[in-house]
Amino acid sequence: MTDIDDDIDLKTLPDDELVEQMHDDLYDGMRDEIIEGTQILLDRGWNAEKVLNKGLVDGMTIVGIDFRDGILFVPEVLLAANAMKGGMAILKPLLAETGAKPVGRMVIGTVKGDIHDIGKNLVGMMMEGAGFEVFDIGINNPVENYLQALKEHDADILGMSALLTTTMPYMKVVVDTMIEQGIRDNYIILVGGAPLNEEFGKAVGADAYCGDAGVAVETALKLIGERNAVSA
Ligand code: B1M
């Protein structure tokens, strides 16, 4: 967006201008600057969630709009995603800070054919922050990966992410396989990703659709609480 970034000393900018500059830097895929901006906002007393939402997620929304409109292309968006991950790496331990024993265990992964992982990573971080133990199995997962991880980690919750209209139907393949194997009701199944909605969540047989990472945490806490109450 700008070509004078080299001249800007991020530390001298007031908060609102720094956030705006971070949006530009994210757009331009400038990982080092995003890491620096993230750290400056934290040093100024912003909490991790605010830095994440205002500095990073809002910036990625602008990238998404220009990607959709054909102004940005895959290589540029990859650089933006890489810059965003630089900031997220700093925020991760802060979002995950908790002394409590695990509330439950979650396996989370992006479905087969889909390599988008920023939203999934965010959900994983927020779940850890809420006291869940999270096993992230990455991207492009066939049903076998989910089933193996659920078993291996003795999980309570399965989380699936999809960002493409072409990959989201795969969630039904996973749920249907779990039904066939008689293990569906052993798990709470949560689904999310930008193109999904509540109706789709119901249609694939998930327990809930989660619009964002905050909702995923709230929903997981609620459903695991209900489950524990029944088994007590
Ligand atoms: Co892609 N891409 N992309 N992309 N990409 C989208 C999704 C798209 C909407 C862009 C657009 O056209 N506007 C579009 C999909 C259109 C559609 O399906 N209808 C699209 C496309 C078309 C593609 C390609 C096909 C492009 C191409 O090659 N021609 C290709 C597909 C590759 C593949 O997967 N096979 C592709 C590739 C890429 C990159 C590799 C360049 C890069 C991904 C990098 C990475 O993830 N490491 C990329 C990116 C970055 C995007 C956009 C710009 C941003 C996605 C993102 O990270 N958002 C995206 C446009 C957009 O969504 N605005 C786009 C930020 C993130 C925090 O939000 O992921 O929605 P989100 O996660 C939220 C919630 O959805 C929810 O919580 C999260 C946090 O609040 N959530 C969950 C997500 N998962 C959850 C799981 C849960 C619960 C909640 O489980 C319990």
Side-chain angles (χ1 to χ4, degrees):
M1 242 185 215
T2 62
D3 48 12
I4 51 162
D5 292 346
D6 285 350
D7 302 324
I8 296 172
D9 181 358
L10 297 181
K11 288 198 197 72
T12 63
L13 298 178
D15 289 5
D16 53 343
E17 283 178 34
L18 175 57
V19 165
E20 226 171 277
Q21 183 60 42
M22 285 174 72
H23 294 172
D24 280 359
D25 288 342
L26 195 68
Y27 195 95
D28 293 336
M30 298 171 76
R31 186 181 166 103
D32 290 348
E33 284 74 3
I34 288 299
I35 291 171
E36 190 187 347
T38 300
Q39 193 57 56
I40 293 171
L41 288 175
L42 289 172
D43 292 344
R44 289 183 188 174
W46 283 41
N47 68 37
E49 213 169 328
K50 189 172 168 194
V51 179
L52 177 70
N53 290 325
K54 299 272 174 222
L56 303 182
V57 174
D58 285 357
M60 188 49 92
T61 304
I62 302 169
V63 171
I65 291 167
D66 281 4
F67 188 32
R68 179 198 63 204
D69 295 344
I71 298 165
L72 287 179
F73 296 95
V74 171
E76 290 141 330
V77 179
L78 266 179
L79 284 174
N82 183 46
M84 175 143 179
K85 284 182 180 179
M88 278 165 63
I90 296 179
L91 299 177
K92 182 173 177 175
L94 303 172
L95 291 168
E97 239 164 39
T98 165
K101 80 172 179 50
V103 180
R105 293 196 186 87
M106 177 192 225
V107 164
I108 188 166
T110 305
V111 298
K112 187 174 167 184
D114 201 322
I115 63 168
H116 294 86
D117 68 353
I118 295 176
K120 163 187 72 63
N121 295 349
L122 208 50
V123 173
M125 282 182 205
M126 299 287 281
M127 292 291 292
E128 281 179 354
F132 287 86
E133 205 170 341
V134 175
F135 302 94
D136 186 338
I137 58 170
I139 54 172
N140 192 21
N141 282 290
V143 57
E144 298 78 21
N145 290 7
Y146 288 111
L147 299 186
Q148 197 199 323
L150 286 170
K151 198 169 165 198
E152 185 183 333
H153 300 299
D154 190 20
D156 310 290
I157 302 175
L158 167 61
M160 287 187 280
S161 181
L163 265 286
L164 298 171
T165 46
T166 49
T167 57
M168 60 192 226
Y170 194 76
M171 291 175 170
K172 185 154 166 42
V173 174
V174 178
V175 179
D176 285 352
T177 308
M178 291 169 78
I179 293 170
E180 272 163 38
Q181 297 193 0
I183 58 169
R184 162 65 185 91
D185 292 339
N186 298 350
Y187 303 98
I188 294 164
I189 303 180
L190 306 180
V191 294
L196 279 63
N197 57 32
E198 211 160 328
E199 202 183 351
F200 178 83
K202 284 201 185 103
V204 297
D207 291 294
Y209 154 74
C210 308
D212 62 36
V215 172
V217 168
E218 269 168 38
T219 310
L221 286 170
K222 177 173 160 269
L223 294 182
I224 208 149
E226 286 171 9
R227 181 179 267 231
N228 290 344
V230 169
S231 60

